Every structure is written in C-alpha cells, then in structure tokens.
Amino acid sequence: MNKEIIRDEALGEQYSVIHHSSGLDIYIWKMEGYQTTDAMFVTKYGSFNTTFRSAGEKDYTTVPEGIAHFLEHKLFENEDCTAIALYARTGADANAYTTFDHTAYLFSCSQNWDKSLEILLDFVQQPYFTQESIDKELGIIGQEIRMCLDSPDRMCFFNLLKALYSKHPIMIDVVGTEESIAKITPELLYSCYDRFYDLNNMFLAIAGNVDEDKVIEIADRLLRKCEDRKTETLIPEEPRDVAQKRIEDTFPIGLPLFSIGFKAPPFEGEERVKKNLACMVAMELMTGNLSPLYNSLLEQRLVNQTFGFDVMSRDGIFFASISGESTEPDKVYELCVAEIEKAKREGFDERHFEIIRKALYAAAIRELSSPEMVCSGLLANSAVAGVDAFCQIRALRDLTSEDCRLAVEQLLDAKYSAISIVNPKQ
Amino acid sequence: MAVDFYKEDLGGGVTLGRVTDKKFKCCSVKIAFITKNTYDATAKNALLFSVLSTSNAKLPSRLALAEETEGLYGTYLSAFSAKSGDMICSGLSCAFISDVNTIGKEIISTKAVQLMLDCLFEPHLEDGLFNEEIFSQKQKELSDSIAASVNNKRAYAIREARKVIFKDEPAMYSDYGSPDDALSVTRQDLLDYYKMLRETAAIEISISGDGTTAECEALIKKAFEPFTKRAVAPVRFRSNSPLKPEPVFAGEDARINQSKMVMAFKSDYEDIYTVKLFCTLFGTAQFSMLFENVRERLSLCYYCPSVYVDTKGTMIVDCGVETANIEAAKDEIIRQLSEAAAGAFSDELLENSKRYICDSFKSNYDSPFDMQDWYIVQTRRGTAFSPDEICARFNAVTRQEIEQCAASFKLDTVYTLKAVSEVSGDE
C-alpha cells in the first residue's frame, strides 16, 4: 500500500489517494466541520461494456444489452438479505446507479459512517445470483424500462445518440430492452462480475466527516486481493461522420423537443478535461445566459428557459449538444450553426469570457462545500477521466478565450451534426 | 452543532430569520411574499416574480441584469413560487459565494443583495406598467412551461390527483395555473397584483451563510422598513383537509407505457413528527412496509413511496404500476395501512425508521440551502427546533403512538392515470 497527497495550494484543499494492496485505489477527502459522509464504490463498467475480453483470452465475449444495470440491481441483495436491510441498521441513505461507462454504489449518512462503509465494501464483493432471483428482477426492471419509455426527454436524447453514432455502443440504452434482459443468466452475471468487479478496475471515494486511518483499517480487513484481469472493452472505431442527420419521433407532449448534437473526435486523460472545459466555456459564450444568440432566440420566442447545452466526453466519445423546446427546432438549428461559424471567424468577447470564467470558478467552490459533490468530482475526474480532482480548476486558471475559439473550430462542425426532434402526438 | 439560528419579527407581517455556520462557503437570501392561494393568483404569482427577476429600472434588460449577476461570480438570482398548504409563497432568491472565497476577496455579497432588492422594489416600468417586451416574453415562457409540464407523467398524475384530493380548497390549485391563465394576465393585472402583494402579503426574509452577511442584513432591513407599519393578519400554514364522506375514485386514460396511481389518506393526528416517523416506516424509507411488500415481495409497483403533506394532514402514496396490477396494488397498500394500525411491524423496523429519519434530518447541517429551508419551515410552524431537537422527539415516539397514528389515516382519494394501448393507424 502506498499513499499520495493531492493538494491545491490556491484553494487550500487536499485529499489522499491510497493505492491499496488489494488493487483498489481509495480516495479520501476529509472536510473539517462537516457532519455528513458520502461514499461511492465504483467499477469502470457500464452499459457500453458489452463486448470484452480479459488477459489471456483470444476472443471477445458479447453479453446482452442492459446487463451492467441488471447486475447493479442484483448485487444489491446477497444470499440472506438485501443491502437496503443492512443499511437500515446504520441509518444511511444508500443507492446505486449505472451509466454508460461506470456503475456506482453509494451511501450518504450523518452517523455510523464506518459501519456503512463496512456494509458497502462487503456486499459489493459478495455476488449471489440465482435463476429464481433473476426471474423476479426481470419484472422489476421491466417496469423500470416501461417507465423510461414514458420520458420524452430520454427518447429525444437516445435518438440523438443513434443519429450521431453508428458503431460506438453508447447508443445502447443503459437499462437495455425487455427482450435483451430476458437473455441474462446467472452464469453471464458471474462472468461480467468476475471481469469488471476486479478491484484493479474499481475505485472508492469517501468525503466529508471521515477518518483516514479508520478507512484504511476497514479496507485492510474487508478488501480481498484481486488478480488484475486486465479486461478490455471492444470499442469499434467510430467515423467522424454521423449515422443520420435527423431523427424525428412522436410522443404525447405539449411542445416539440429537440436536441442538436455536434460530433467530435474523442480525447483521453488531461487533454479530455481541457477540451471538455474549453468546449463548455465556448458553448456558454455562444448559447448561454449572456449570449446574443440566446437573447435573440428568446426575443423571437423560438426557445424558452429549457434551452441549454451539454458536453459529453467518454472513452471513444465526444460531442456537444444543444437542447430545448421549440415550435421551430430547424430554425433554432440554423441559428446555432450560424453562431458557431461566427465564433470561428471572430472569436469571443474577452469581458464575457472573464465573467464566465469567474462564474465557473464559483461553481467549483460551491462543489467543494458538499461531500456529495466532492465525491462525484473525484469520480468524474479520477475514475472516469484518469486525472486528479483539481485538474479542471487548474485548466480553468490557464484557459484563454483563444483556447475556446480553437475548440469551436476543432470540435463543432455542422457537417458532423445531427438533430433529434420529438413532436407532439395528437 | 455549529449552526446558529436567529429570528426577528420586524412588524407589519415581516419576519427575518438568519442561519449561520462558519463552514459555509456560499450564502443564500430568500424573500417570500405569502398569501392565500386562489385560482386567480397562481399564474399572476409565477409571472410576477419571473418578470421581476429578469430586469429592473437600473438594469432594464434581461441581458444587462444577467451580465451583472454572472459578473458577481455567477450569482444566482431567481424567482420561485410554491404552495405551502393553502398558502402560496412566491418571491426571489439569491445565492452567491462568500466574499472570502472570491479570487481577490472582493465584496460581492452586498452588491448581489442590492441587485435583488432593486428587482423587487424598482421594477422596470414603462408608462406605469411592466415593460411590455419582458412581460410578453415571460408570459409566453410561463405558458410554454405549463404546457410542457404534461411531459412528466408522474408529476402530472400527482398534480391532477391533488385537484381531487383537495377539491374546493386553495391547495387544489397548481403552482402555476393553466397556459390560458398565464396568457390572460394583462400588464395592468400584474401591476395591481404587485401592489396588492406589497400592501397585504406576509413577508418572510431568510439569510443563510457564513456569518459575514451583517451588511446584507442591514440593507434588507432598510429596504423593508416601510413595510413594518402595515397591518397584516398572521398566516396559518396548517389547515387539515377534510376527509370525504366516501373515498373518491377518479382518473383518466393516457397513451403511456406505465400507469400511475395516486392514493391520498387523511388524518387529524396532531403531532406532525409522530406522523413523519410513521410515514417513514410506512412508505418513505427504502426498507419501509410499502417498499418491502408492494414492490419487493409482490412486485406490484415499480415505485410506491408515501409523502406526508403536514400542512394538509394528508399522506399521499404515488405509484408507477402496470395497468393489470392497479387493483391489486391499491388493495395491498390499504392492507399494509391496516397492518401498521394493528401493530404488524417489527420493533427493528421502528428503530431503523428512527435512525433513518434522524440521519436524513441531521444531514441538513452541511448545506446553507438545506438549513435555510429547514428554519423557514420551522418558522412557518411557529417553532425553532434544530434537527437534533427533532431527532430527540423521534426517538421518544412509542410503538403505540405509531399504531394510533396509522389507525387515524383514512382513504380519501384514488386517482389513476391509466396506460392504454396505442390506437392503431393513428400515425
């Protein structure tokens, strides 16, 4: 076991990284004066890890869509009881979720954090899958899938992914389909568990009211040393071209929804964080609260307060999106593209750039006030992007408006864009 | 705990509460105008504060005000409008990082609060009316937002159910009214409403932060000094909803994939903290009777939590359920309530519920926003209990009290939004 201290002098904040002998990296961020403790036990395994192989295997294995999410549900119960029943004895609020590229088990509490941590580490390391319990879970997840089908926002977003990507498994819905999950067996669950719930592929973050020595003592006692399976996921090479320029669908809604995506090449590590940040700031400058475009769209009644943007970067993925409600989504698309071209030619107003930079700095400060947000920040930076938790704020200090203009030039091209529209069903 | 709470009655129906904890890195100021909810008031309330938060006489455009707030380290100035029982509380809130956390230790707190006060008291008027451009923009936004609210089927079902649950009571009206209500308000209507609120509404001011907001408080007190001489009747937030003579069954069909069912149970049980504990045990906690039996054991619902509306003495259970399971789920939820009243729950469940709710309440201590909301609610109840004090009360509740509390709840309403099959050939 060895330990690093990661510190940002300007912020006066620091956290510890313990490289535990079991293979697990443990991130501990003690926050003085806080009563709450938040913890996340995370595996870098999500909905797009459907085709993979471990060290020594020649062939890739493909598993049913939605299996990572199914596994998350099933891991919440062991042979004797559910994790919820165990947490009930400590008072913690516990939950779990699955995303495209990771699955997280978490708790938040204001008392008995050490006992809750013991429960977390214990149940995630004790899989128990039977056909009977899988059959029961099919009903519950089937209901979750049908609930998801009732979300027009989700429909609009996943249609955008299908429009943007032709090969990358990001377009697979996290929950899968009723048909795909029906193919799940105990053997498949154990196979996925063994490959991805390898502690070398996992990460523990704990923040707030926490004692480092106690965390290490619990980890020493409960973590079982893992052989590094070195499981790799097959991510097919994705062309920059979009799969479809446009997808339209219908749903019983009040106003049409739209989501416009600009597909860009993917990045890794610190470069990903820097490009992500530059793109975020550029999007804020072009479409945010202070932008002439947003003002004009509002004045023309083309959008309302749901108008917003996002930048998503994952392994093999980078795209920026603009979403909202509009009776004229194609007109909004045209105006957004025109604004992007203008930014490429003229760059950004320095004063607005500085305002946005200060606002983002304040947002980072606010995140440091919440154990939950600190934990999420550790996850997003350290586990997903592979950088330290202060990387983004350092990048923010160094960012220039020219970096943002270059990001627009490099990442936002109408040729590689698509639009998803959900129209009201009469 | 390091959290300190101070409350002051400024007179004229104006109260000020201050929450302080040195560890907080941000501050929050909320100013609420409180009146009885009426059908006529909902759209006006939402529209008024939306207009007021968009510009003011000194910064007479959305962009000008946005530049100023963003320049103050992304200060978040926003409007809110939400029901509390039969009352509606609307106003402006302002959140900013503490001066000490700015890059150059700049003073932004007083500037942020002054902006908020300018929006409230120096609105952007033209010819004695709200600026037409901003008014019509906000009116369209509100109308769109109400129209789009149908997209969230769970929230839609609860909103429609409340119209039946609280029929003929002020609490039946939604927070925002209908799209047509929003579009029918005129600039003169809104100005009249603004004046009426200033003259008659109770005003609730709340400041939460690291204790360095004395100058902000002084600014606010000075701005509200003229209001302290008004004659405003005290506000009562708690007004239990009467139980219907027979349960009412209502609902509609919808082209959705999962049906929604909302059940309301009413009670006049006096001690709201006993009810909150019972509600946690019954359906709020992840290990509650409803979760364990209705979802996990019988797989009748995907979700079925219970929520207690203490101002109306009403417990609402909302479910995501297969159409074929609606009747069985309804019967099982009613049966579980009878089981609770008969004491068919373990001591362990009761102790776990106490632990769970105490843990949840104490977690408020770490957020300036949560502690602010905590003491706003306490003030509305006429109390000033800390989370620790409430937890002591929870821990003293007995099994017999929980049983009596459960027995006091009677079924009042069942509302279903039933998923129906697609009509073929309609596309």
Side-chain angles (χ1 to χ4, degrees), chain A residues 261-298:
Chain A
F262 294 87
K263 184 177 178 182
F267 303 92
E268 296 298 323
E270 197 156 338
E271 184 70 359
R272 185 195 289 182
V273 173
K274 286 181 179 172
K275 291 291 183 194
N276 198 88
L277 180 70
C279 193
M280 286 286 284
V281 175
M283 293 294 281
E284 181 68 47
L285 286 161
M286 290 186 297
T287 68
N289 207 17
L290 300 186
S291 67
L293 173 66
Y294 180 53
N295 212 41
S296 161
L297 290 170
L298 281 177

Side-chain angles (χ1 to χ4, degrees), chain A residues 156-425:
Chain A
C156 195
F157 176 68
F158 274 96
N159 281 351
L160 178 67
L161 293 180
K162 284 177 199 157
L164 290 176
Y165 291 91
S166 53
K167 295 192 165 65
H168 195 287
I170 190 107
M171 56 189 153
I172 296 171
D173 197 320
V174 173
V175 292
T177 63
E178 292 194 68
E179 293 74 31
S180 71
I181 63 170
K183 296 173 191 155
I184 292 172
T185 63
E187 293 73 28
L188 279 174
L189 289 178
Y190 279 116
S191 172
C192 292
Y193 180 88
D194 289 343
R195 292 157 194 271
F196 290 105
Y197 284 71
D198 160 4
L199 292 179
N200 297 281
N201 188 53
M202 296 182 73
F203 158 98
L204 172 70
I206 185 160
N209 174 23
V210 62
D211 176 83
E212 189 172 307
D213 291 338
K214 184 74 181 165
V215 173
I216 294 169
E217 183 270 311
I218 293 169
D220 286 346
R221 186 156 39 87
L222 294 176
L223 294 176
R224 293 166 206 139
K225 189 169 171 56
C226 281
E227 174 201 354
D228 189 352
R229 298 288 308 266
K230 293 188 168 56
T231 302
E232 57 172 288
T233 298
L234 178 66
I235 306 279
E237 195 165 328
E238 175 73 34
R240 177 97 189 255
D241 288 321
V242 298
Q244 288 172 259
K245 289 293 285 182
R246 178 185 193 87
I247 295 187
E248 285 194 68
D249 219 325
T250 59
F251 200 84
I253 50 177
L255 279 174
L257 302 177
F258 70 89
S259 200
I260 301 162
F262 294 87
K263 184 177 178 182
F267 303 92
E268 296 298 323
E270 197 156 338
E271 184 70 359
R272 185 195 289 182
V273 173
K274 286 181 179 172
K275 291 291 183 194
N276 198 88
L277 180 70
C279 193
M280 286 286 284
V281 175
M283 293 294 281
E284 181 68 47
L285 286 161
M286 290 186 297
T287 68
N289 207 17
L290 300 186
S291 67
L293 173 66
Y294 180 53
N295 212 41
S296 161
L297 290 170
L298 281 177
E299 280 174 3
Q300 294 177 69
R301 313 284 192 269
L302 284 171
V303 299
N304 54 30
Q305 69 274 29
T306 62
F307 184 74
F309 68 87
D310 196 12
V311 178
M312 188 163 169
S313 51
R314 298 283 189 276
D315 285 350
I317 292 290
F318 195 109
F319 70 90
S321 60
I322 300 167
S323 307
E325 295 167 351
S326 176
T327 49
E328 294 184 68
D330 288 306
K331 179 84 176 162
V332 176
Y333 172 79
E334 275 175 36
L335 293 169
C336 288
V337 169
E339 188 66 23
I340 287 168
E341 293 309 313
K342 180 167 168 260
K344 287 177 188 172
R345 288 191 312 271
E346 299 174 12
F348 295 112
D349 179 279
E350 282 296 333
R351 195 174 64 89
H352 277 178
F353 170 77
E354 282 306 325
I355 287 174
I356 300 299
R357 206 158 68 132
K358 272 187 177 179
L360 283 174
Y361 175 83
I365 295 290
R366 280 195 287 271
E367 287 182 11
L368 293 176
S369 311
S370 154
E372 184 186 356
M373 296 302 290
V374 166
C375 246
S376 298
L378 283 167
L379 166 68
N381 290 293
S382 306
V384 177
V387 297
D388 72 76
F390 301 118
C391 183
Q392 174 134 334
I393 208 152
R394 279 199 307 275
L396 187 58
R397 287 184 195 126
D398 297 338
L399 190 73
T400 66
S401 68
E402 178 59 9
D403 293 333
C404 297
R405 193 195 66 78
L406 286 171
V408 176
E409 199 165 274
Q410 184 185 11
L411 307 172
L412 307 180
D413 189 333
K415 188 180 167 193
Y416 305 114
S417 68
I419 184 166
S420 160
I421 300 169
V422 178
N423 290 304
K425 183 183 274 184

Side-chain angles (χ1 to χ4, degrees), chain A residues 35-36 88-89 91 94 109-111 136 143-144 146 150 252-253 289 295 301 325 351-352 362 426, chain B residues 1 23 25 62 66-67 73 136 141 148 151 153 255 257-258 286 296 301-302 322 352 355 359 366:
Chain A
Q35 177 146 348
T36 331
R89 295 171 200 156
C109 65
S110 52
Q111 55 196 349
K136 178 172 165 285
Q143 291 191 45
E144 185 175 355
R146 287 191 284 284
D150 283 334
I253 50 177
N289 207 17
N295 212 41
R301 313 284 192 269
E325 295 167 351
R351 195 174 64 89
H352 277 178
Q426 297 307 318
Chain B
M1 278 304 105
K23 73 169 180 279
K25 291 185 168 69
R62 188 199 67 80
E67 275 191 18
Y73 285 79
S136 55
E141 274 183 26
N151 295 3
K153 303 301 175 194
R255 285 188 295 182
N257 289 282
Q258 186 190 59
Q286 295 160 310
E296 292 294 297
C301 295
Y302 179 64
E322 295 301 296
N352 288 345
R355 212 175 286 121
D359 196 287
D366 285 349

Side-chain angles (χ1 to χ4, degrees), chain B residues 171-243:
Chain B
M172 77 177 282
Y173 305 122
S174 74
D175 293 353
Y176 304 112
S178 72
D180 286 344
D181 296 334
L183 293 174
S184 69
V185 177
T186 66
R187 289 195 295 157
Q188 185 64 54
D189 290 341
L190 204 65
L191 191 72
D192 292 344
Y193 190 73
Y194 173 60
K195 287 178 180 167
M196 186 278 287
L197 275 188
R198 291 181 56 153
E199 285 164 14
T200 64
I203 296 169
E204 186 184 76
I205 303 162
S206 166
I207 304 168
S208 179
D210 63 356
T212 60
T213 49
E215 284 184 46
C216 296
E217 193 174 313
L219 276 177
I220 293 168
K221 279 185 171 173
K222 189 176 171 202
F224 279 92
E225 208 281 326
F227 291 75
T228 59
K229 307 288 185 284
R230 302 174 311 162
V232 173
V235 175
R236 275 188 69 241
F237 285 91
R238 193 173 185 191
S239 166
N240 285 355
S241 179
L243 180 71

